[in-house]
Amino acid sequence: MLHAQQFVPRPGSSEAVVGGYAFSATLAIQDITGLATSGVSASHIAKRLEPSTESEAILFALTSEQPLRPVTDLGYRELFDDDLDHTEAWLFVSLPLLEDRQVIEANFTFDSEIAPLPGEPVPTEPWVAALSLLDDLSTRLGRPICQLWVTHSPGDDTPPGVVEAGYTAAFREDQATFEIAGLDSLPALAPAEFAVIEGPGFFSRRKAGPQEVEQFSSLLTAASRDYPRGELIMDTIDWDLARIRDAGARLKDRGGAQLTGLAYVDGVIVGLCEVVRFHADDASVCELGLVYVLPEHRGRGIGAAMLRASLSRAKEVWEDLETAYCSYPADSPAANAIMRGLDAEVVSSTTAWQKR
């Protein structure tokens, strides 16, 4: 039987626990993608675990022994360095604090010591323990909706026990990589004008034009409402300037830098494209964030041209840039068409399993 132990970050606390989880998560994604540039840094995880007005993150280990330990505020035994020798899996939990206050989001990872190699049988007990922990958290926290995000090899994949525990596959996105040099395959012209600015939206030194802040806030709110999420239960985020600036401050604090591409039609912002790079990551790699065009302006090549303009500018700013990572809804015809045009390679999929 496996037992849930909760990591409690403290000033001056050991880095072994966060490092152990980051190593296991990186090994897992590299086994799936086969790419050395895949993964997550311990510093990024440590930042995620810091207090935030937007969400609370909690790291759990599932261990094979049950030593005497102090009990946390949530009622679980606390996790210490000595417990890492008996850890078989990890559950990284996120609790949204502004919207989706009925939701628990979680990511499951096998510990590196027992992680199955590709093609080997998947151990069942860690999955059963993780699903039991989510049920317990749901009851203790009064959050009846559980969303478990599982990254796996491209295509469909069903982890042990999730269907029996009452979960259904609510959404799937694919992760792909493509070379920046392939941008020439995308159209450069479209019935729109483009600008690429530093920072997330208006978290920058650039002075916004008349009504731009309102237009950009409205665009982000529309993306939150309309972006494909399958059957996932998610509240719409009502974006305003304060929230945009808060998001920019969090990104900067986590060691990230962003460029934002904007598409204008008749002087009005109708689309955006986020390009992000983290200082702790390989300098040749960037990530595509949100790419969104208002529905009434789709089908005219604006999204593809905006993507080309944004990444071309990113290459100018970050001279070492060679490869872009992106995630997109697996069943989106538009996204798949653009990825085919870029000769992108799907390296992994992530399925969101939901129980309510």
Side-chain angles (χ1 to χ4, degrees), residues 134-211:
L134 275 175
D135 280 347
D136 191 56
L137 283 169
S138 177
T139 299
R140 294 188 189 214
L141 298 173
R143 290 178 177 248
I145 302 170
C146 298
Q147 295 172 350
L148 179 62
W149 294 76
V150 183
T151 299
H152 49 87
S153 297
D156 294 322
D157 185 83
T158 302
V162 293
V163 175
E164 293 80 358
Y167 285 80
T168 58
F171 173 70
R172 197 190 92 205
E173 62 183 12
D174 288 339
Q175 290 82 43
T177 66
F178 59 87
E179 299 304 310
I180 302 297
L183 288 176
D184 289 345
S185 63
L186 295 180
L189 299 176
E193 296 181 352
F194 303 100
V196 183
I197 63 176
E198 295 184 7
F202 295 94
F203 185 79
S204 69
R205 297 178 181 177
R206 172 182 177 273
K207 185 177 180 180
Q211 301 300 311

Side-chain angles (χ1 to χ4, degrees), residues 16 19 21 46 49 58-59 62 96 100 112 145 182 204 218 221 233 257 266 287 300 307 318 329:
Y21 171 67
L49 291 168
I58 311 171
L59 179 61
L62 299 169
D100 301 316
S112 59
I145 302 170
S204 69
S218 177
T221 300
I233 300 171
D266 296 330
E287 300 176 16
R300 297 191 288 168
L307 180 60
W318 303 317

Side-chain angles (χ1 to χ4, degrees), residues 91-121:
L91 198 68
F92 191 93
V93 173
S94 180
L95 305 174
L97 299 178
L98 299 178
E99 293 84 20
D100 301 316
R101 293 180 62 87
Q102 296 190 80
V103 173
I104 297 174
E105 301 172 351
N107 294 83
F108 172 91
T109 303
F110 281 109
D111 187 73
S112 59
E113 292 296 321
I114 75 155
L117 295 173
E120 290 186 343

Side-chain angles (χ1 to χ4, degrees), residues 283-299:
S284 67
V285 172
C286 70
E287 300 176 16
L288 279 182
L290 177 65
V291 180
Y292 179 78
V293 176
L294 289 172
E296 58 268 31
H297 294 280
R298 295 175 189 168

Side-chain angles (χ1 to χ4, degrees), residues 244-262:
I244 293 168
R245 287 176 169 167
D246 285 347
R250 284 195 304 275
L251 178 66
K252 183 178 180 181
D253 189 49
R254 292 173 181 170
Q258 180 172 318
L259 298 175
T260 304
L262 301 174

Side-chain angles (χ1 to χ4, degrees), residues 4 14 32 50-51 178 189 266 275 279 314:
S14 169
I32 293 169
E50 291 180 358
F178 59 87
L189 299 176
D266 296 330
V275 186
H279 302 311

